[in-house]
Amino acid sequence: MKNRSERKLSIITNAVIGVVLTAVFVLGFSYDKSAPIYGGETIGAIYRGNAEKNTVSLMFNVYENTEIVNNILETLKEKGVKATFFVGGCWADDNALTLQKIIGYGNELGNHGYFHKDHKKLDYEGNKQEIYITELIVKSLCGEKTTLFAPPSGSFSDVTLDAASDLGYKVIMWSKDTIDWRDKDSSLVYKRATGNPASGDLILMHPKPHTLSALPQIIDFYLNNGFTFCTVGENVT
């Protein structure tokens, strides 16, 4: 049962989300195609970070399993490393406390769209709306503006790149995919996360029980082999 402070936060959160969504759908987007943020150039998706710093990044795409997200945060804190959590808006709007915990523990929040749509199939406004609504929700709940966008299922088009760029985002993919959403095997997660390690690796995971089980060993592997961990934002700048 929720205590009084948690109930109060829930009421406030729902009110804030209602205001955000109403504003977005009523007002729509103002967009000046003649003055895009990146000088009119399409910014390509990023599959790897800096190859010269001997750093790697853990990235978690989150639409579910809040309890596991919190356990992942505790593991990261215990190991003294930080990661990037690309959150779906429809998950974020129900999990303000966990969003705040992600930031409070020194990790990074990224944007994973609102409804986990196939962005390759969306038009410009559809792409922009998915990203922007999530941005507003995250900012309203924890004061952080997201600037990195991970397309759900890794599906995107040139239109996605344009929309993300015009909103001030970098589109992030990965160099290592654990495929933990499909294969419920911690040993496979470990193998895929650590095979042929290289500086700048972006290691994709999800909040799954078998991923949580493999996470301490994945972290130890990289630390024992001379790598350090940083957020995706730090890795791609």
Side-chain angles (χ1 to χ4, degrees):
M1 182 179 294
K2 292 183 177 180
N3 60 37
R4 183 175 299 175
S5 62
E6 289 176 322
R7 288 197 299 272
K8 183 177 180 181
L9 176 62
S10 179
I11 292 170
I12 294 172
T13 297
N14 289 336
V16 169
I17 298 307
V19 171
V20 168
L21 294 180
T22 299
V24 169
F25 285 111
V26 171
L27 300 177
F29 301 105
S30 60
Y31 166 56
D32 179 5
K33 196 68 173 174
S34 67
I37 292 172
Y38 288 104
E41 296 181 4
T42 298
I43 307 300
I46 298 171
Y47 291 80
R48 182 180 295 278
N50 194 313
E52 299 177 357
K53 293 184 178 180
N54 221 36
T55 56
V56 296
S57 297
L58 302 173
M59 49 186 291
F60 296 90
N61 289 352
V62 182
Y63 266 96
E64 60 179 354
N65 295 338
T66 301
E67 182 177 354
I68 294 177
V69 174
N70 282 292
N71 288 333
I72 287 171
L73 288 170
E74 296 301 329
T75 299
L76 295 172
K77 183 179 180 181
E78 180 182 337
K79 293 291 186 179
V81 304
K82 51 189 177 179
T84 299
F85 292 78
F86 289 90
V87 298
C90 63
W91 174 86
D93 59 20
D94 290 324
N95 290 281
L97 289 175
T98 302
L99 286 178
Q100 292 162 12
K101 188 175 181 180
I102 290 171
I103 295 299
Y105 278 21
N107 299 287
E108 179 181 44
L109 282 170
N111 192 315
H112 200 38
Y114 191 84
F115 279 127
H116 205 276
K117 293 184 177 181
D118 185 343
H119 280 251
K120 189 173 184 178
K121 297 179 179 179
L122 298 178
D123 62 12
Y124 175 85
E125 289 299 331
N127 271 280
K128 195 172 183 183
Q129 188 173 77
E130 280 287 301
I131 299 168
Y132 189 55
I133 291 175
T134 303
E135 174 187 315
L136 292 181
I137 288 170
V138 171
K139 189 172 183 180
S140 70
L141 295 179
C142 63
E144 293 287 324
K145 182 191 181 300
T146 53
T147 59
L148 305 176
F149 173 61
S153 304
S155 181
F156 69 93
S157 67
D158 286 345
V159 174
T160 308
L161 295 174
D162 285 340
S165 177
D166 292 336
L167 284 170
Y169 280 79
K170 295 177 180 177
V171 174
I172 305 297
M173 296 295 282
W174 59 82
S175 61
K176 285 184 168 45
D177 187 357
T178 61
I179 322 178
D180 54 354
W181 56 270
R182 185 189 71 190
D183 299 325
K184 302 175 183 180
D185 185 329
S186 59
S187 63
L188 271 179
V189 172
Y190 174 84
K191 180 178 179 180
R192 290 167 178 162
T194 60
N196 299 315
S199 298
D201 268 336
L202 306 178
I203 305 163
L204 176 61
M205 293 180 279
H206 300 79
K208 302 291 186 181
H210 43 285
T211 302
L212 175 62
S213 177
L215 184 58
Q217 289 74 39
I218 292 169
I219 293 172
D220 287 345
F221 170 86
Y222 281 98
L223 293 178
N224 292 336
N225 282 278
F227 292 90
T228 58
F229 288 92
C230 66
T231 65
V232 172
E234 292 168 334
N235 211 340
V236 301
T237 56

